[in-house]
Amino acid sequence: MSLRLRIALSILVICLLLTGLVMAVLVADARSERSSYESAREVLINSAREQAATVAGVIGGQSETLRAMAASLEYRAVSIEDFSPESLESVASVSGFDTIFMARADGSVIDYGDGINISDRVYFQRALSGEASMEYAVFRYTGRDGVVLAVPYYHEGQVGGVLFGIVYEESLGGLLSSEKYGGSGYSFLADGMGNIVVSADSEFDDLEGVSLFELSDELAIEGYDNLEAGFKDLLSGKIDFFSYTYQGKARVGAAAPLASSQIPANDWYVFSIIDQAELDAEIRANRRNALEPMEILAVFFVLALIIFLFLERDSRRQLEKEAETERRLADAAKLHAEDLRSSEELFRIVVSQCDRHVYRYEIEEGGSSIPDGSFALGRVAEGSRERYRKFFEDINSGKSPLTADIEFEMHVGGARWYRHNSTTLFSADGRPKTAVISYYDCTQEHDREQTFTLWEQRIASLSGEHNAMFEWNLTLDRCEGVYGAIAESFVKTNRSSFRECAKAFVDTHIYKDDVPAFTQLMSRERLIGNYFDGLRNVDLDFRCARSDGEISWINVNVNLSPYPDTQEIKAYILFTDIDSEKREKLELIARSEHDDMTGLLNRKAFIRRVENLLERSSQAMHLLIMLDLDGFKQINDSLGHDAGDKALTAFAERLRTLTRSTDLSARIGGDEFMVFLPNMPKSSDLAAKVKSISGAMRDIIDLGGETKVSASLGAAVYPRDGRSYEELYKSADTALYYTKTHGKSGYSFFEEWMNTD
């Protein structure tokens, strides 16, 4: 083949290759542009949906919290006029609202002296009609824009007012932040009327509160001659990706509704926007990235063909040089293979753990070093020191992977738990060389795991008829776990609410005298109120009817805690059989409060019970009587102590038959007795009552011969003769002294003149 023919064929091949490359570039360019556009569309739609879900979740959770608070206030029967706005201040900070208010039925906001009235607001009117509502508004007291959530407040079965919370635009603005396109994108929230509620872009700052439909001169959606028609199709879901022009700048964006059954309004939308210039820049970058390999490939082929045609004689030498270079590179790669492998493995591990704190721990020869800086600073808690030491000993010995929870004493915030994960890199000879250790704060997770572990241990240890547990979501009023026979009878499949289950349990299990206390404790509204008041653990001892008809003592303990990352309230309820311990405790209390000989109350128990009755019934009339056996010393001296004990026992028995079940009787020492008659009717004849007791205490028992047993009485009336036990005691003692010095075997009421005699 001639040189001219070879040159012609080479030129033809080059032309064909160049033509193919140009066509490939054009196809790649078109595909890149279409792919970039579709990618932007998907990114913006997903961004709008994610932000809409975030806003809907926050507003939905806040709406549920507001309903729970209104139900708690209704249960407590708080009158609108007795309502204290200060009680909502502590709730606002944990509920997510910037502020919470209560308005009367006439629209006046409580505790605002300047007369703020919201009766003309749509959210107030809808809430007053009995439904939850949501509205974008400017609150008149603060003059600040925000989203208002409102629910009706019921009092005695009627709507007595409106409980409403406000989330200002700056709080919602934090939820509308797009991370797409390097943060250059922005978002805004609009209601179903097209009003811009919250914007994350400065160009819309002066448009907040203005309907998008009023901006026909400034906005233009491509493909629509009428702005309102374009936005209505967008808000109705007919389109979800759009482009428009505002103030001469082209934009592309997507919209997503706040679709959630938990929020009062479902016609609000989140718009996620980027400049058309940003999209064009990305398309150009993608096209450039797609074309560069083609260009490099074209140059390579041209140079290769030229070298093949004109430098064929030098190709072997060049190939030998390249082979030599490859051998040198191979030798260098072999020398550094171990370091390269370690670096690649280190990079892989760091990437997989990028959401945690990561550091590199170099293992010394012999594997005996343990970082002791945290020990020296006192950072590692005492209970975790051995676990910390064991963690690094295992690393040094080559164990991998490893996990350990270590507690540290922090300068601020108290003790915190950190979960450490370690992966070891080994040298070519199998020696542990480097450990990559990541850690993160797992305090909440650790505490939750500890709680669940304890909870599971308790569940595993359940035995007996009356030991049981269950879990209840109080916010959603939903049972989430049942363990033990008594709990299974508490939660029946045909009952859904906490109230219905509690009532069924009361009707079938609770001893009648303990029904009021149990019903008061096991109220969903009361438990929610306890949670917001800061009372997170309550319990009650009550009596329960067993299957054999006997009565058994049970303890119910309710622990209230929030769900992780939500405002929902969870109740852990534990039933424990305490019958033997309770009966033993009651028996010990009874023994400690009663006189061994007579069985009456002793002095200490009598005083404590009288003081409790005086405190609880300060408006009633009570009677305190002091009694003393006449001639008791002569009985002991003449007939002996056995006769004296017999007289005391008979005296106490007679005293017991003369008093009501609500009265208190006590032996306070020697031959002295006391009786307290609480809540005497205002019209009762106290003198007749004391006289009858005095008469009944004569000649109780014949001890032989002329020895008879009788008593002297001194009486004091509450509140006339004293307002405390000490005052009543002194008055009754003075009256008793008067009786004993004026003939004995009788009675006297205290009079002021007795103190002067």
Side-chain angles (χ1 to χ4, degrees):
M1 183 180 295
S2 66
L3 179 61
R4 181 175 297 180
L5 181 60
R6 292 176 60 186
I7 293 174
L9 290 175
S10 299
I11 293 174
L12 178 61
V13 171
I14 292 173
C15 291
L16 291 174
L17 289 174
L18 290 176
T19 301
L21 286 173
V22 170
M23 294 181 62
V25 168
L26 293 176
V27 172
D29 184 40
R31 288 183 177 179
S32 174
E33 183 176 6
R34 184 169 59 254
S35 174
S36 298
Y37 185 84
E38 291 297 324
S39 175
R41 178 182 182 276
E42 191 69 20
V43 166
L44 288 177
I45 290 176
N46 290 338
S47 176
R49 288 174 179 172
E50 291 170 2
Q51 294 178 73
T54 299
V55 175
V58 170
I59 293 177
Q62 291 169 333
S63 181
E64 288 297 319
T65 298
L66 212 57
R67 289 190 182 98
M69 290 170 56
S72 177
L73 292 173
E74 177 189 359
Y75 174 77
R76 300 185 205 172
V78 178
S79 170
I80 191 72
E81 296 304 325
D82 296 334
F83 180 77
S84 173
E86 290 77 12
S87 62
L88 296 179
E89 293 180 0
S90 61
V91 179
S93 62
V94 299
S95 65
F97 288 101
D98 289 305
T99 183
I100 301 177
F101 300 95
M102 175 71 80
R104 302 182 181 90
D106 62 356
S108 59
V109 180
I110 294 178
D111 202 40
Y112 284 106
D114 51 358
I116 297 300
N117 191 289
I118 59 172
S119 59
D120 59 333
R121 292 297 193 187
V122 176
Y123 66 82
F124 172 82
Q125 296 168 1
R126 291 181 62 185
L128 198 63
S129 67
E131 60 178 309
S133 65
M134 182 172 77
E135 181 185 357
Y136 168 70
V138 178
F139 189 55
R140 291 167 180 166
Y141 177 71
T142 61
R144 297 165 64 187
D145 299 348
V147 175
V148 181
L149 297 174
V151 298
Y153 162 63
Y154 289 89
H155 181 67
E156 298 181 353
Q158 302 293 328
V159 178
V162 172
L163 184 66
F164 66 99
I166 303 174
V167 184
Y168 292 124
E169 64 174 40
E170 54 264 36
S171 298
L172 283 176
L175 304 177
L176 299 174
S177 59
S178 174
E179 299 296 331
K180 312 304 179 184
Y181 294 93
S184 63
Y186 56 91
S187 305
F188 62 86
L189 176 66
D191 62 19
M193 301 301 295
N195 296 314
I196 298 178
V197 177
V198 178
S199 171
D201 184 68
S202 59
E203 76 175 20
F204 284 98
D205 285 347
D206 57 345
L207 299 181
E208 292 182 4
V210 177
S211 174
L212 295 171
F213 303 150
E214 299 173 8
L215 304 176
S216 57
D217 294 335
E218 289 81 11
L219 297 179
I221 296 180
E222 293 184 7
Y224 288 88
D225 296 329
N226 182 279
L227 176 68
E228 183 171 354
F231 270 107
K232 283 187 176 179
D233 281 355
L234 186 67
L235 297 177
S236 65
K238 292 183 180 179
I239 59 174
D240 55 4
F241 187 75
F242 61 95
S243 59
Y244 69 97
T245 302
Y246 176 67
Q247 294 183 350
K249 292 184 178 180
R251 306 282 195 275
V252 291
L258 302 185
S260 173
S261 61
Q262 294 181 324
I263 63 176
N266 287 303
D267 58 346
W268 289 29
Y269 277 71
V270 170
F271 292 77
S272 183
I273 311 295
I274 64 168
D275 291 342
Q276 180 71 48
E278 293 291 336
L279 178 59
D280 294 340
E282 179 173 338
I283 292 175
R284 286 195 300 271
N286 290 340
R287 292 170 65 185
R288 185 167 54 252
N289 292 336
L291 292 175
E292 285 178 353
M294 297 294 182
E295 295 170 351
I296 294 172
L297 184 61
V299 173
F300 175 81
F301 274 110
V302 171
L303 292 177
L305 287 173
I306 293 174
I307 293 171
F308 176 78
L309 292 172
F310 298 101
L311 303 175
E312 184 177 6
R313 59 184 178 180
D314 298 325
S315 61
R316 183 174 298 178
R317 184 182 302 172
Q318 184 67 28
L319 291 174
E320 290 176 353
K321 290 181 178 179
E322 291 178 357
E324 181 64 20
T325 301
E326 289 178 357
R327 284 194 296 272
R328 291 178 180 179
L329 291 175
D331 292 337
K334 186 176 181 180
L335 292 174
H336 299 285
E338 181 176 327
D339 292 337
L340 179 61
R341 185 174 61 84
S342 298
S343 298
E344 290 176 347
E345 185 70 9
L346 177 62
F347 175 78
R348 184 188 65 79
I349 295 171
V350 170
V351 169
S352 68
Q353 300 178 347
C354 61
D355 60 333
R356 306 177 181 183
H357 301 285
V358 181
Y359 66 94
R360 183 171 179 168
Y361 171 65
E362 298 296 339
I363 302 175
E364 295 183 0
E365 187 72 28
S368 60
S369 65
I370 296 176
D372 58 357
S374 295
F375 285 115
L377 296 175
R379 297 291 298 277
V380 179
E382 184 68 29
S384 292
R385 292 196 168 193
E386 185 59 34
R387 190 181 304 112
Y388 182 83
R389 184 179 290 105
K390 182 67 165 54
F391 178 69
F392 281 97
E393 287 178 350
D394 289 344
I395 291 176
N396 292 330
S397 66
K399 294 182 180 179
S400 179
L402 295 171
T403 298
D405 291 350
I406 310 297
E407 185 181 17
F408 288 83
E409 299 290 347
M410 312 301 293
H411 295 300
V412 179
R416 306 293 297 177
W417 284 90
Y418 287 87
R419 178 156 296 168
H420 292 66
N421 294 294
S422 171
T423 301
T424 301
L425 305 179
F426 297 87
S427 62
D429 58 359
R431 181 178 58 84
K433 182 178 180 182
T434 302
V436 179
I437 302 175
S438 67
Y439 64 94
Y440 67 96
D441 189 329
C442 68
T443 303
Q444 185 177 9
E445 180 181 349
H446 182 272
D447 293 344
R448 187 161 57 248
E449 289 175 355
Q450 292 291 97
T451 300
F452 288 157
T453 299
L454 180 59
W455 186 251
E456 292 174 350
Q457 291 174 351
R458 288 183 173 180
I459 292 172
S461 64
L462 289 181
S463 62
E465 182 180 356
H466 293 112
N467 288 330
M469 297 178 180
F470 62 88
E471 306 170 51
W472 203 287
N473 186 317
L474 295 179
T475 302
L476 302 181
D477 198 5
R478 182 177 64 203
C479 181
E480 297 183 342
V482 179
Y483 316 96
I486 197 171
E488 292 171 358
S489 67
F490 183 46
V491 182
K492 297 295 185 180
T493 56
N494 61 336
R495 303 186 183 95
S496 58
S497 72
F498 190 92
R499 180 179 298 176
E500 291 173 334
C501 295
K503 183 179 183 304
F505 186 74
V506 167
D507 293 342
T508 56
H509 290 84
I510 306 299
Y511 183 66
K512 58 183 180 61
D513 291 346
D514 294 338
V515 167
F518 186 87
T519 303
Q520 183 182 30
L521 176 71
M522 298 299 284
S523 163
R524 173 174 170 263
E525 292 78 7
R526 182 180 181 86
L527 292 174
I528 292 175
N530 288 340
Y531 176 84
F532 284 115
D533 289 341
L535 185 60
R536 303 299 173 87
N537 191 283
V538 293
D539 68 342
L540 173 71
D541 293 347
F542 66 93
R543 286 164 290 184
C544 186
R546 296 196 310 228
S547 57
D548 59 3
E550 295 295 325
I551 299 298
S552 179
W553 281 96
I554 305 295
N555 173 266
V556 58
N557 178 269
V558 183
N559 183 275
L560 305 171
S561 63
Y563 278 71
D565 304 322
T566 72
Q567 297 300 324
E568 296 175 4
I569 305 169
K570 188 169 188 178
Y572 294 91
I573 304 174
L574 170 65
F575 287 91
T576 306
D577 190 333
I578 59 168
D579 189 65
S580 59
E581 301 96 321
K582 185 72 174 181
R583 293 184 184 277
E584 182 179 350
K585 181 178 179 180
L586 292 175
E587 184 178 351
L588 291 175
I589 292 174
R591 289 179 181 176
S592 66
E593 291 185 343
H594 290 78
D595 177 60
D596 292 338
M597 178 181 296
T598 63
L600 301 179
L601 292 173
N602 57 35
R603 182 187 187 92
K604 185 176 180 180
F606 179 79
I607 294 173
R608 183 175 63 254
R609 294 193 183 186
V610 170
E611 289 177 341
N612 290 337
L613 287 171
L614 293 177
E615 182 178 354
R616 295 200 306 267
S617 307
S618 59
Q619 304 301 318
M621 183 172 68
H622 311 299
L623 182 62
L624 180 68
I625 304 174
M626 182 177 290
L627 304 92
D628 188 88
L629 269 65
D630 297 326
F632 182 71
K633 185 176 184 304
Q634 289 80 0
I635 294 175
N636 277 335
D637 293 343
S638 60
L639 300 177
H641 289 285
D642 289 342
D645 293 346
K646 184 178 180 181
L648 292 174
T649 303
F651 188 85
E653 186 61 33
R654 176 61 60 86
L655 194 60
R656 191 178 287 108
T657 62
L658 298 174
T659 54
R660 303 168 298 179
S661 61
T662 57
D663 297 338
L664 303 176
S665 301
R667 179 189 177 201
I668 61 175
D671 61 340
E672 294 181 353
F673 294 81
M674 295 192 78
V675 177
F676 184 74
L677 289 74
N679 302 312
M680 297 295 291
K682 295 294 179 68
S683 60
S684 60
D685 188 346
L686 299 181
K689 179 66 175 178
V690 175
K691 182 179 180 180
S692 65
I693 294 176
S694 176
M697 301 308 293
R698 295 176 182 170
D699 302 331
I700 299 172
I701 185 171
D702 189 348
L703 298 175
E706 298 182 357
T707 304
K708 304 289 186 181
V709 177
S710 63
S712 297
L713 285 71
V717 181
Y718 175 91
R720 185 192 70 184
D721 302 330
R723 302 193 67 87
S724 67
Y725 170 78
E726 291 297 332
E727 293 175 353
L728 290 174
Y729 176 84
K730 291 179 181 179
S731 298
D733 186 53
T734 301
L736 176 61
Y737 178 77
Y738 182 84
T739 302
K740 293 182 74 70
T741 56
H742 289 76
K744 299 183 179 181
S745 189
Y747 68 92
S748 300
F749 278 86
F750 172 76
E751 300 292 345
E752 284 294 338
W753 54 263
M754 292 180 179
N755 285 325
T756 61
D757 288 352

